Amino acid sequence: TDTLNVIIGQGPNAYTPLQMARYMCCFANGGYKVKAHVISKVMNPDNTEIIEQTVPEKERIDLKDPRHLQPILEGMLLAKDVSGKTFVNFPMKVGVKTGTAQNTAINPNTGQMYDNYGWFLAFAPYDDPEIAIATILFQGGSGVNAAPLNRAIIAHYFGMKPEANP
C-alpha cells in the first residue's frame, strides 16, 4: 500500500526546489537532465563583455517511449487554467504542476498542526521553454497559493510590464 501513496506523491518524500525545477525542466525540454549551475556567466566590471560563460550540460533520460511526454505536457498546459486562474490572462503559454505536501508535524508552541506546504512548478514559454521554476510555500496551504509568485518570476524574467502581474 505504500507504493500507491508514493505514486500519487503522498509518501514520505524530501525534495529540494532545485531538484523539482530540474524535474520540471526534464518534461519541458523533451527528456534531458540539465546540470544546475549557480552562476551562468561572469561579466567584466562595466557589464559590456562576457568573461566566462557556463554551457549547461545535458544528459538524455532513458524514456521507454518519448511519446508519453506529450500527454503530460498537454496536462501541464491545461493545469494553468485551474491553478487559481493566475495564468488565465497571461500573455504567454505556461506549463504548470501544483502540489500540496501534507505536514503532520505539531507546532510545539501552539500545540496545533502546521499547515500544508504549497508547491508550484512552472516552465515558460510552453512552446519553446527557457525557464523552469519550482517554489514552495512553507505552511502555504495549497500549491495554488504559490502560483502568483511563479507568475511574477516569469513576468520579470521575460521583462513583461508590471500589469502582467496580478
Side-chain angles (χ1 to χ4, degrees), residues 132-152:
I133 305 166
T135 56
I136 183 169
L137 295 180
F138 292 93
Q139 297 191 67
S142 167
V144 74
N145 294 331
L149 177 58
N150 282 262
R151 179 183 168 122

Side-chain angles (χ1 to χ4, degrees), residues 20-160:
M20 295 305 287
R22 288 184 70 208
Y23 169 76
M24 181 56 88
C25 188
C26 288
F27 283 110
N29 70 23
Y32 289 90
K33 253 191 321 188
V34 178
K35 186 174 180 180
H37 295 279
V38 176
I39 298 171
S40 64
K41 62 184 170 185
V42 177
M43 303 290 290
N44 67 352
D46 61 357
N47 285 329
T48 58
E49 181 182 343
I50 297 174
I51 297 171
E52 185 178 331
Q53 186 161 12
T54 303
V55 177
E57 297 174 30
K58 288 181 173 183
E59 177 186 338
R60 182 76 173 155
I61 295 172
D62 185 22
L63 299 171
K64 290 185 184 196
D65 189 345
R67 294 176 297 171
H68 293 155
L69 282 177
Q70 194 55 41
I72 295 169
L73 291 169
E74 289 170 7
M76 289 178 177
L77 180 62
L78 294 172
K80 70 155 178 62
D81 294 333
V82 295
S83 61
K85 306 295 181 193
T86 301
F87 289 97
V88 171
N89 294 318
F90 199 64
M92 169 185 301
K93 288 183 181 179
V94 179
V96 307
K97 174 66 180 97
T98 62
T100 303
Q102 295 172 335
N103 188 353
T104 58
I106 296 185
N107 183 323
N109 296 319
T110 66
Q112 296 188 12
M113 288 185 66
Y114 286 111
D115 200 353
N116 294 329
Y117 293 180
W119 279 93
F120 196 90
L121 310 176
F123 68 90
Y126 178 82
D127 297 317
D128 189 18
E130 282 186 39
I131 184 173
I133 305 166
T135 56
I136 183 169
L137 295 180
F138 292 93
Q139 297 191 67
S142 167
V144 74
N145 294 331
L149 177 58
N150 282 262
R151 179 183 168 122
I153 291 169
I154 293 168
H156 179 77
Y157 179 85
F158 287 103
M160 295 178 184

